[in-house]
Amino acid sequence: DDALGLVIIAVFYNDPDHSPEPAWLWLVALGMFLSWCLRKWNYRLPRLAGQKRQSWVPYVVLGGTLSWFGLLKAKLHPALALVPIVPFM
């Protein structure tokens, strides 16, 4: 519900002086694919003794950065960068 509201705000309430450039959204898709690959790879890694959770840092640094840069270049609000990445964490 909240994520859908953020997407609606980003798409329909953008800056009228700068129209969105959807061609840059391929970087968001690449960040999502990279996060999906990290998720699949982490399931195949053996857990260290006492480690119950996998780290969120690679998702944010790799997938989040690609997503942020893609939204910024597409002229959408980059605060939404982790919205497509979080489901893969």
Side-chain angles (χ1 to χ4, degrees), residues 44-61:
R44 293 191 175 109
L45 286 178
R47 301 274 186 228
L48 298 175
Q51 182 183 6
K52 295 181 181 178
R53 298 184 187 103
Q54 57 194 6
S55 177
W56 53 267
V57 175
Y59 297 96
V60 172
V61 170

Side-chain angles (χ1 to χ4, degrees), residues 44-88:
R44 293 191 175 109
L45 286 178
R47 301 274 186 228
L48 298 175
Q51 182 183 6
K52 295 181 181 178
R53 298 184 187 103
Q54 57 194 6
S55 177
W56 53 267
V57 175
Y59 297 96
V60 172
V61 170
L62 299 174
T65 301
L66 283 172
S67 180
W68 182 86
F69 191 69
L71 289 173
L72 183 68
K73 294 301 275 183
K75 297 189 174 101
L76 298 174
H77 205 292
L80 301 172
L82 290 180
V83 171
I85 304 301
V86 167
F88 298 105

Side-chain angles (χ1 to χ4, degrees), residues 3-77:
L4 182 60
L6 290 173
V7 171
I8 289 171
I9 289 169
V11 173
F12 295 109
Y13 295 99
N14 55 12
D15 187 4
D17 297 331
H18 301 95
S19 62
E21 296 180 19
W24 284 98
L25 294 178
W26 66 271
L27 281 174
V28 177
L30 181 64
M32 290 172 64
F33 177 72
L34 184 62
S35 297
W36 177 79
C37 289
L38 284 170
R39 183 69 172 173
K40 294 298 178 186
W41 183 64
N42 274 329
Y43 273 121
R44 293 191 175 109
L45 286 178
R47 301 274 186 228
L48 298 175
Q51 182 183 6
K52 295 181 181 178
R53 298 184 187 103
Q54 57 194 6
S55 177
W56 53 267
V57 175
Y59 297 96
V60 172
V61 170
L62 299 174
T65 301
L66 283 172
S67 180
W68 182 86
F69 191 69
L71 289 173
L72 183 68
K73 294 301 275 183
K75 297 189 174 101
L76 298 174
H77 205 292

